[in-house]
Amino acid sequence: MVVGVAIIGSGIFVSKEHLPAVQVTSSLTLKAIYSRSLSSARNLGSDISSLDLYSNDAGAGRTYQDLLERTDVEAVIIALPILMQPEFIKRALEAGKHVLAEKPIAKDVATATELLEWYEKNINTSKVTFCVAENYRFFDSVIFAREQVEKLGRVLGFNVRLQNMVKLGGRYIETEWRKKPEYQGGFVLDAGIHCIAGLRMLLGPENAPVRVAAFSEQLQNHLPPVDTLNATVKTKSGVTGSFAVSFGTTYDEYELSVACEKGAVYRDRAGTSFEVGIGGAVVVRSEGKQERTEFMNEEFGVKQEVKAWAKALETGLQDPRQKPEEALRDLEMVSWSILFDFCLTNRYASSLKPCCVVESRMDSL
């Protein structure tokens, strides 16, 4: 079974990751690309010369709606600026297309919750699937780290540290919608949410976060509205840990670590920078021994997640790592950490109740 797909978007990540991922997935065949402008679609390069291009300025019969009406396009990958995602997702689902949308699921929890409720109410979810991409859940190193955590017994604590400086002139900051974000969190939302997904995967459902107390700040003028977040997190098992993310500091570090009864697991970079981002490593310390395993070929994890999505389209069994509910839980944690101390649950955001001050306790809710 080969599924015809279209890519919606033509930005950096489409060019570097989504396009190559679709091209190397044998069960997918790329039929078309949509971009807001025809020139940006053409800028994806010679690899798309044989594809049909759609855009707002491509003329009659070449709009987004025209693409959605094609019967040979069964599924779409949507990778547009954050504020545009929900509208394009809804229109694709209404047209009966399976959707793999880039993270975050939406600009904020309220918008994401409305989108999920709309999907469940208006779309036959057994026939038309809605998935959200989160490449951290498909990193070989993160999967391996989770396996090691499970072997080492009860979780005792955890720490996340992702700190570096996003400088003007970098390929991501120079995109207009990131440079002047009209959504909460800026880079803390757009990039920091990856770390939350990785943390949640390592901790597992038995250690799901239920409470967050946090401070956020903007350290650099060119990184509005915030570029730094420091939080303390408590899980439903009672374990606490720290979550520190900054894109406006002179620190340069990345580490995701979990302490267990029989040892500790560390996931870090395999000698690569934030901008390059290729390769991870896992260090396991147990019984006085230390073992380091490197995963230099995992790249950004996008090929793995697109392959998993393609398999789900073929089998009809959605990969749980791509369910929109998982993306919502990631967004809950980063959103309410940015705004104020918040109590998290495993349900939709409509069930959450804010704690007005850091001193509020669970028994007061």
Side-chain angles (χ1 to χ4, degrees):
M1 174 183 176
V2 178
V3 177
V5 302
I7 295 177
I8 313 305
S10 59
I12 297 168
F13 214 63
V14 168
S15 173
K16 301 294 185 182
E17 298 299 328
H18 291 118
L19 181 58
V22 171
Q23 291 172 330
V24 300
T25 303
S26 60
S27 59
L28 300 178
T29 179
L30 186 60
K31 299 288 187 178
I33 290 176
Y34 168 87
S35 181
R36 288 172 293 169
S37 72
L38 188 57
S39 62
S40 61
R42 287 172 173 163
N43 286 338
L44 285 175
S46 59
D47 285 348
I48 56 106
S49 59
S50 62
L51 299 177
D52 294 325
L53 303 183
Y54 294 76
S55 70
N56 297 347
D57 58 358
R62 293 289 177 175
T63 67
Y64 181 53
Q65 187 59 41
D66 292 317
L67 186 156
L68 294 178
E69 291 173 1
R70 288 180 55 161
T71 58
D72 62 337
V73 174
E74 301 171 66
V76 294
I77 296 175
I78 303 180
L80 294 168
I82 292 171
L83 295 182
M84 299 180 65
Q85 290 279 99
E87 176 192 350
F88 279 77
I89 291 168
K90 286 182 177 180
R91 290 177 63 184
L93 292 170
E94 284 179 321
K97 310 302 182 186
H98 301 286
V99 170
L100 176 64
E102 255 303 321
K103 61 79 212 163
I105 185 173
K107 67 173 184 175
D108 55 35
V109 171
T111 305
T113 302
E114 188 278 330
L115 176 59
L116 270 179
E117 292 175 347
W118 174 91
Y119 171 59
E120 293 176 351
K121 180 179 179 181
N122 295 281
I123 303 298
N124 185 339
T125 60
S126 64
K127 293 184 177 181
V128 182
T129 57
F130 173 30
C131 298
V132 179
E134 174 45 72
N135 52 325
Y136 264 49
R137 292 192 177 95
F138 292 86
F139 277 140
D140 298 329
S141 58
V142 173
I143 295 169
F144 179 76
R146 169 58 184 168
E147 293 170 352
Q148 305 316 301
V149 168
E150 291 180 305
K151 293 176 182 178
L152 294 176
R154 182 170 61 95
V155 170
L156 304 178
F158 53 90
N159 291 290
V160 176
R161 296 198 309 275
L162 171 61
Q163 304 194 78
N164 55 65
M165 177 71 74
V166 174
K167 299 178 181 179
L168 288 172
R171 59 181 178 176
Y172 289 109
I173 185 62
E174 292 303 329
T175 53
E176 189 64 21
W177 63 273
R178 289 188 178 95
K179 200 168 189 177
K180 298 179 181 178
E182 297 180 19
Y183 51 88
Q184 64 180 18
F187 268 83
V188 171
L189 171 62
D190 191 25
I193 199 167
H194 288 302
C195 293
I196 287 175
L199 172 64
R200 291 184 57 243
M201 185 164 173
L202 260 65
L203 292 178
E206 66 275 15
N207 292 293
V210 295
R211 186 173 175 83
V212 177
F215 293 94
S216 60
E217 186 58 77
Q218 181 183 353
L219 301 178
Q220 304 298 328
N221 291 333
H222 67 280
L223 295 173
V226 297
D227 55 26
T228 299
L229 173 67
N230 288 287
T232 299
V233 181
K234 188 172 185 177
T235 73
K236 72 177 185 180
S237 64
V239 174
T240 59
S242 65
F243 183 88
V245 173
S246 179
F247 299 97
T249 182
T250 51
Y251 284 126
D252 184 12
E253 58 182 350
Y254 171 72
E255 183 180 271
L256 173 57
S257 59
V258 179
C260 307
E261 283 185 309
K262 300 177 184 177
V265 178
Y266 304 79
R267 192 269 180 182
D268 61 19
R269 299 177 299 198
T272 56
S273 70
F274 169 72
E275 285 289 346
V276 177
I278 298 176
V282 176
V283 175
V284 178
R285 296 174 181 169
S286 179
E287 298 179 346
K289 300 178 181 179
Q290 176 173 305
E291 183 174 346
R292 179 182 176 89
T293 306
E294 294 203 344
F295 299 83
M296 294 304 297
N297 296 320
E298 67 181 3
E299 299 180 322
F300 277 92
V302 178
K303 289 183 176 69
Q304 296 94 312
E305 70 178 351
V306 169
K307 183 178 180 180
W309 179 58
K311 182 179 179 181
L313 294 177
E314 183 176 359
T315 63
L317 301 174
Q318 189 174 10
D319 192 308
R321 293 171 292 179
Q322 295 179 330
K323 288 189 174 182
E325 293 84 358
E326 288 298 311
L328 176 57
R329 291 172 187 136
D330 295 339
L331 181 62
E332 285 176 343
M333 187 170 168
V334 69
S335 296
W336 298 121
S337 295
I338 292 168
L339 295 173
F340 42 70
D341 183 34
F342 207 86
C343 292
L344 296 172
T345 74
N346 285 327
R347 297 174 58 82
Y348 284 177
S350 59
S351 69
L352 306 185
K353 298 180 180 180
C355 304
C356 295
V357 293
V358 173
E359 289 78 9
S360 295
R361 299 185 60 84
M362 290 292 288
D363 56 14
S364 68
L365 301 177

